[in-house]
Amino acid sequence: MLPVACSADSSSATSNSKTSNSKASDTVTMSDQWIKAADSGMSATFGTLQNSGDQPVQLVAATSPASATVEIHEVVSDTPGGDKTMRPKAGGLTIPAHGKATLAPGADHLMFIDLKQPLRTGASTPLTLTFSDGSTITVTAQVRDFAGGKEKYEPAPENSAHGG
């Protein structure tokens, strides 16, 4: 079982600083975050990223002690109604100014690859989000049961750079 992580980071509070000079970590919060329970292999994190700032923010990487790698993924279909494939999202994820980005099953999400130990329902794990300006926030995601997500996985080419 993974330890429950507490963070002294005030990222869950709304920032009063909304100037264009703000760091992404001052304007972005994550809510309703959760991770799919899994015994081994891969899992995914979902939730809502909210940006209270005046400028768009780019999420470029994520890490967690629960897995060797965390990638920012998208789910795409080559043809309307065709099979869905998840793959690394080139360039990361944009969170619009005064807007939100939703991480959801069957859509954009954070993919945990090579789990270090089982993720059991009810446990929690920390997740650190890194933005294009180098700032970070750490949140705690609760592990939940979820049976969905029948996408195929298309790994990144060996020579590509992606968040994780």
Side-chain angles (χ1 to χ4, degrees):
M1 182 169 309
L2 293 172
V4 174
C6 296
S7 173
D9 185 354
S10 62
S11 63
S12 61
T14 302
S15 172
N16 291 330
S17 175
K18 293 186 181 182
T19 66
S20 60
N21 294 330
S22 295
K23 296 183 298 185
S25 60
D26 292 336
T27 64
V28 175
T29 58
M30 187 172 192
S31 60
D32 302 320
Q33 63 272 14
W34 62 279
I35 183 170
K36 180 184 175 207
D39 288 328
S40 62
M42 296 188 289
S43 187
T45 296
F46 311 103
T48 302
L49 295 161
Q50 184 76 37
N51 177 8
S52 64
D54 294 327
Q55 300 296 319
V57 170
Q58 198 72 14
L59 175 67
V60 296
T63 59
S64 175
S67 67
T69 304
V70 179
E71 295 178 347
I72 302 166
H73 276 199
E74 64 185 348
V75 176
V76 296
S77 178
D78 293 330
T79 60
D83 288 340
K84 292 183 176 184
T85 301
M86 65 176 160
R87 65 182 181 205
K89 188 172 177 83
L93 179 70
T94 301
I95 309 161
H98 300 286
K100 65 182 178 178
T102 301
L103 303 174
D108 293 338
H109 59 277
L110 301 177
M111 193 75 198
F112 281 47
I113 300 172
D114 295 328
L115 292 176
K116 294 181 178 178
Q117 58 191 19
L119 294 170
R120 301 285 186 229
T121 301
S124 296
T125 188
L127 176 66
T128 299
L129 308 176
T130 302
F131 304 100
S132 59
D133 65 2
S135 66
T136 63
I137 61 171
T138 299
V139 299
T140 300
Q142 184 180 38
V143 179
R144 297 183 188 169
D145 285 327
F146 179 73
K150 304 299 182 203
E151 305 89 5
K152 293 185 286 182
Y153 176 55
E154 179 181 294
E158 290 296 320
N159 60 355
S160 74
H162 52 77

